[in-house]
Amino acid sequence: MSQAQIMKLSNLLKDWSSKLRIKEFDPLGACIQSVPEWDKESIMISERYEVRLNFEIETRFLMTAEEILLCKQSMCPLPSWACSAQTSPNLVYIEEEAAGNDQGAFFESLFQRLAPLESKNFATLRIELQDRRSQLASAATEEGYLEMINDLDTACQLIGEWMDVGAEPRQLLDLLTERVRGRQRQFRYLEVTERYLKSILEKQLEYKQDLKQHITELKDAVGFSL
C-alpha cells in the first residue's frame, strides 16, 4: 500500500473508532487513538512522492496465541485480547435459549409425550389437559405416570396464568416455533463447521506429507554434498 492510502485509512478508522471498539479496554481502539490524524496537506505530499510500504502479517497468530476463546460477537475463535467482552471457552458455538423459552421447552417436551390434542384455545386446552390428568391419576401408579401427572398440573397452572393476563395461543406457538428455528440454525452452523473442519484436517495432512518430503530431500542434498 502507498503511504497516502495508509494515512487515509488511518483517518477513516479514527472517524469510526466508536464502531470498531467492542469492549471497554479494546487493543484496536487504543492502537487507533495512538495514531495521529493526518491533515490534507500531509496526505497530498505523500501522494506526490508515492512511497510504498510493505506489511508483514503473522498469518499463524492463532497457533502462537496463549489463550483462544470464542468471541460471541464475531462468532470466531480469536486470541483473548481480540475478543469482545462476551466469550466462551467452547470454540464451537452453542446457541443459547432465548429468555423465557424455558416454558417453550417444557410444553414442547409435554406435547411430544401426549397423544394429539384437539383444543383451539387456552380454555379448552386446560380442560383437555385436566381430563388427561384425571385419566392418568385414576389408572397409574408407575413413576413415569406420576411425572406426567405433575407436568400436567404445571401446564394447567401456566395456562391459567396466561389466561389471567390475556395471552393468546399464538404466543405459545411462537415459543415452540422459535425453538425449532433455533435447532435449525444450530444444525446449519454445525454442518458448516464440520465441512471446514474436514478441510482443515485435509490441509494438515497435506502439510505434514509435504514437510516429510522436504526433510527427506534436504537430508539427501546434505548427504550428497558431503
Side-chain angles (χ1 to χ4, degrees):
M1 294 180 67
S2 70
Q3 182 173 313
Q5 288 175 325
I6 295 173
M7 295 167 77
K8 291 178 182 179
L9 178 61
S10 171
N11 284 348
L12 182 64
L13 291 174
K14 269 190 170 297
D15 292 339
W16 293 94
S17 60
S18 61
K19 302 294 184 182
L20 296 173
R21 193 182 302 110
I22 57 177
K23 56 185 176 182
E24 185 176 0
F25 301 103
D26 188 279
L28 178 59
C31 180
I32 293 172
Q33 292 303 318
S34 66
V35 177
E37 184 170 353
W38 310 102
D39 56 60
K40 292 183 178 179
E41 184 178 353
S42 298
I43 295 175
M44 289 176 61
I45 294 173
S46 296
E47 288 176 333
R48 187 182 308 163
Y49 290 101
E50 191 63 24
V51 177
R52 311 292 295 185
L53 299 174
N54 295 325
F55 287 91
E56 183 177 349
I57 301 175
E58 177 54 68
T59 57
R60 297 188 177 184
F61 66 94
L62 285 175
M63 299 176 66
T64 57
E66 294 183 0
E67 184 180 27
I68 300 293
L69 299 173
L70 179 70
C71 171
K72 290 194 174 183
Q73 182 162 332
S74 65
M75 290 302 155
C76 295
L78 294 171
S80 57
W81 59 264
C83 291
S84 64
Q86 294 185 331
T87 60
S88 170
N90 300 316
L91 298 186
V92 176
Y93 171 64
I94 304 298
E95 181 163 329
E96 298 177 355
E97 291 286 351
N101 214 8
D102 51 343
Q103 292 182 350
F106 169 76
F107 276 100
E108 181 183 17
S109 173
L110 178 65
F111 292 158
Q112 286 175 343
R113 289 175 287 152
L114 288 173
L117 299 166
E118 299 179 357
S119 302
K120 303 296 184 183
N121 56 60
F122 279 150
T124 56
L125 177 59
R126 183 167 63 171
I127 294 173
E128 192 171 0
L129 293 179
Q130 288 171 342
D131 290 342
R132 299 284 181 94
R133 193 254 187 225
S134 299
Q135 294 171 7
L136 289 175
S138 62
T141 57
E142 297 181 17
E143 183 177 348
Y145 285 132
L146 295 176
E147 181 182 355
M148 175 65 82
I149 290 171
N150 291 332
D151 286 346
L152 288 170
D153 287 336
T154 302
C156 290
Q157 180 182 349
L158 289 173
I159 292 171
E161 293 173 358
W162 287 345
M163 292 172 64
D164 290 341
V165 297
E168 297 291 335
R170 178 174 294 277
Q171 293 174 255
L172 175 57
L173 294 177
D174 288 342
L175 287 176
L176 298 175
T177 301
E178 181 54 33
R179 287 185 56 78
V180 174
R181 289 175 178 169
R183 285 198 293 271
Q184 289 175 337
R185 288 192 298 268
Q186 184 71 32
F187 178 74
R188 288 194 295 268
Y189 167 78
L190 292 175
E191 271 191 324
V192 173
T193 301
E194 183 182 28
R195 184 163 64 248
Y196 281 103
L197 179 60
K198 288 180 179 178
S199 176
I200 291 172
L201 294 175
E202 290 172 359
K203 291 296 183 182
Q204 284 181 334
L205 180 60
E206 181 180 337
Y207 170 78
K208 290 179 181 179
Q209 291 173 342
D210 289 343
L211 182 62
K212 185 177 181 180
Q213 181 180 349
H214 293 329
I215 292 174
T216 302
E217 292 174 353
L218 182 59
K219 285 183 178 178
D220 293 342
V222 172
F224 180 77
S225 64
L226 297 177

